[in-house]
Amino acid sequence: MQPNETNQSAARPAADFNPYAPGYDQNPYPALEKLRAEAQLQYWPAGRAWLLSRYDDAVAVLRDSKRFTADRSEWEFASVLGSAVLIPELEELNKYGLFSLANQDHARVRKLVSPALTPRAIERLKPEIQAIVEDVLDAAAAKGTIDVTLDFAEKIPARVIGSMLKMPKGREELFLRFTDAVVKCFLPGMVNPQELDGLRADMREGIELVKATIEDRRNAPLENDILTTLIQTEEQGERLNKGELLALASALIVGGFETTVHLIAFTIYNVLHRPEVLAQVRAEPDLLRNTIEEVLRHDNFGKMGIARYALEDVEMGGATIKKGQMLLVMLGSALRDSATFDKAEVFDVRRNTNASIAFGHGAHYCLGANLARLEVQLAVGAFLRRFPEMKLLGQPSFGQHPVIRKMESLKVQLNPTV
């Protein structure tokens, strides 16, 4: 059975778009500007999705929970791909995941989870995160020349998440394998069949670790512990069930790893290759927070966008999005829309970033945004402070990834004068 790709409107030509073309990861913006200029909405046959590239439309769709859903099971091609049949471990995580819950259950779970992830709750983690960052930097300093991605950015989130969830030490490699397996298996069409057994094994090992940790914490609660908070939180007699706890703890590992790694690497690159920005941030350290927001806007590491699925036929931009079709909200394009952002192509650390939708918008705004922001702020701030003479060595290299502009390597000489 092959998916029907004839549903696009005859009045709307197919998008000439290929996020896997050579050079796209290094600089996707000419392609995104072309999309934005050509039409409000275009159909992308290779991705079986509609592409929405303008800011106002992006916000409108992300707010619209009546006509669009984040629940992947509503996708008309979900049964064709058969991911749940191929990968039952993924189905175990998806069944109670936030993107799979009906609107009422989604709202209930978010209400129960939110107290554990407020800015105040996350701020309590600051000393732990700072200590981890300094420890990683101590090891990096001994090398002189480092790869920011491998030697710094990838070392921090796994240890932070392990500390947050009070998991056994030395599980960073498992977190990395678990994260990689879940991300790849969300797109089963991208998985090499020879890889599947290994990916499933990594996913099973990660799931078993999370389950065991939840049971340990249920039997022996800890103070100031996010997992204990999730287990004990109650609202009007409602508590998170076992499936919801598993999905949420796994989401913290998977979502908290990939996003934070790339935001650290992209922020360091964007600061170091702009001497004027580096000088501004060094002179005014408080500008770092806004600089991170500007990186998210100006050089977003997403390859494509946020997926939504039509709950009914929707007329938009002279086209009809059929029930069950996917719509990709192209964040990298929307956040460069000059109709919303003055001089959108300019990297401005003093820009008002209140309009940013980098972490989503509406009912599905990212619950982990506060944690990611704090980790990146502490990591990049310490990096800039400890190595005042550092020098960027060439341009970053990018590796293959289905949904992220994966900055695979970024070389920096920490003490050029030594």
Side-chain angles (χ1 to χ4, degrees):
M1 179 179 177
Q2 294 296 320
N4 175 14
E5 296 182 5
T6 63
N7 290 336
Q8 60 172 304
S9 167
R12 177 69 57 230
D16 179 19
F17 177 69
N18 180 10
Y20 306 109
Y24 181 89
D25 287 329
Q26 288 85 342
N27 183 14
Y29 298 105
L32 295 177
E33 184 177 354
K34 183 173 181 285
L35 277 179
R36 201 165 55 246
E38 285 180 346
Q40 181 182 6
L41 192 70
Q42 294 187 67
Y43 189 75
W44 176 33
R48 304 181 183 123
W50 291 92
L51 306 180
L52 197 67
S53 54
R54 298 175 185 173
Y55 178 88
D56 287 344
D57 296 327
V59 170
V61 167
L62 293 175
R63 280 178 176 169
D64 191 346
S65 58
K66 292 183 178 179
R67 298 189 298 171
F68 298 99
T69 181
D71 183 357
R72 199 167 186 259
S73 67
E74 297 292 337
W75 189 21
E76 65 177 344
F77 300 120
S79 61
V80 176
L81 292 175
S83 60
V85 175
L86 286 172
I87 311 167
E89 294 83 2
L90 187 63
E91 172 61 12
E92 185 174 5
L93 295 180
N94 283 347
K95 185 176 180 181
Y96 292 101
L98 282 171
F99 289 149
S100 300
L101 297 175
N103 287 343
Q104 184 175 352
D105 283 330
H106 178 267
R108 175 183 62 83
V109 171
R110 282 187 74 99
K111 189 173 184 179
L112 287 166
V113 172
S114 292
L117 295 169
T118 62
R120 178 176 293 182
I122 294 301
E123 186 71 16
R124 288 198 292 267
L125 299 170
K126 189 173 180 177
E128 294 178 52
I129 297 173
Q130 190 71 62
I132 289 168
V133 168
E134 298 296 344
D135 189 49
V136 171
L137 283 174
D138 287 343
K143 297 185 177 184
T145 295
I146 68 163
D147 186 319
V148 168
T149 302
L150 299 177
D151 297 324
F152 183 54
E154 284 191 358
K155 303 292 186 185
I156 295 170
R159 289 181 60 179
V160 169
I161 295 162
S163 179
M164 282 176 59
L165 300 179
K166 302 295 189 294
M167 286 188 166
K169 301 287 186 184
R171 295 297 181 141
E172 291 84 357
E173 184 182 346
L174 172 57
F175 287 174
L176 182 58
R177 289 189 281 111
F178 182 42
T179 297
D180 188 57
V182 173
V183 170
K184 284 184 176 178
C185 291
F186 261 118
L187 296 163
M190 305 292 293
V191 175
N192 184 325
Q194 284 72 41
E195 286 185 283
L196 191 56
D197 286 345
L199 292 173
R200 288 186 60 189
D202 289 340
M203 211 178 302
R204 282 196 299 272
E205 191 176 354
I207 288 172
E208 288 309 311
L209 173 64
V210 174
K211 284 181 176 179
T213 305
I214 290 171
E215 288 309 307
D216 286 347
R217 207 57 40 78
R218 197 187 299 278
N219 295 328
L222 298 174
E223 290 187 14
N224 298 322
D225 169 59
I226 191 169
L227 198 50
T228 299
T229 301
L230 291 176
I231 291 168
Q232 294 180 343
T233 296
E234 186 170 349
E235 178 72 24
Q236 296 180 351
E238 291 283 352
R239 281 196 173 186
L240 297 168
N241 64 39
K242 288 185 178 181
E244 290 163 349
L245 281 167
L246 171 64
L248 286 164
S250 299
L252 279 172
I253 294 171
V254 175
F257 185 87
E258 195 108 47
T259 299
T260 309
V261 167
H262 286 86
L263 187 50
I264 290 171
F266 270 72
T267 300
I268 289 174
Y269 171 68
N270 273 278
V271 170
L272 291 189
H273 89 98
R274 293 184 171 90
E276 73 286 359
V277 171
L278 179 59
Q280 283 179 295
V281 174
R282 286 217 164 112
E284 301 177 62
D286 287 346
L287 276 178
L288 179 57
R289 182 177 300 181
N290 215 61
T291 301
I292 294 166
E293 297 302 317
E294 182 68 342
V295 170
L296 283 164
R297 185 201 69 83
H298 185 270
D299 197 17
N300 194 280
F301 54 79
K303 191 188 292 281
M304 290 177 283
I306 298 176
R308 290 291 183 267
Y309 309 94
L311 291 169
E312 60 186 56
D313 289 359
V314 179
E315 298 294 327
M316 182 181 290
T320 301
I321 304 171
K322 297 289 188 180
K323 180 180 179 180
Q325 285 191 316
M326 182 197 296
L327 188 151
L328 288 173
V329 178
M330 308 292 287
L331 288 183
S333 174
L335 291 167
R336 286 260 196 136
D337 189 343
S338 58
T340 298
F341 300 96
D342 184 45
K343 297 180 181 177
E345 74 287 352
V346 174
F347 189 94
D348 181 2
V349 296
R350 298 185 188 278
R351 184 186 299 275
N352 184 333
T353 58
N354 289 341
S356 178
I357 53 172
F359 283 102
H361 187 78
H364 284 278
Y365 181 81
C366 178
L367 279 168
N370 294 321
L371 175 61
R373 286 183 167 115
L374 179 61
E375 280 188 72
V376 177
Q377 188 176 345
L378 294 177
V380 177
F383 190 82
L384 297 179
R385 184 176 63 254
R386 286 190 55 169
F387 306 109
E389 302 298 325
M390 74 179 122
K391 178 182 177 184
L392 190 63
L393 298 178
Q395 295 297 307
S397 63
F398 290 81
Q400 293 184 341
H401 194 286
V403 295
I404 285 176
R405 296 167 56 211
K406 183 178 178 64
M407 191 178 286
E408 199 167 53
S409 178
L410 178 66
K411 298 292 180 63
V412 169
Q413 189 175 353
L414 299 179
N415 299 296
T417 58
V418 175

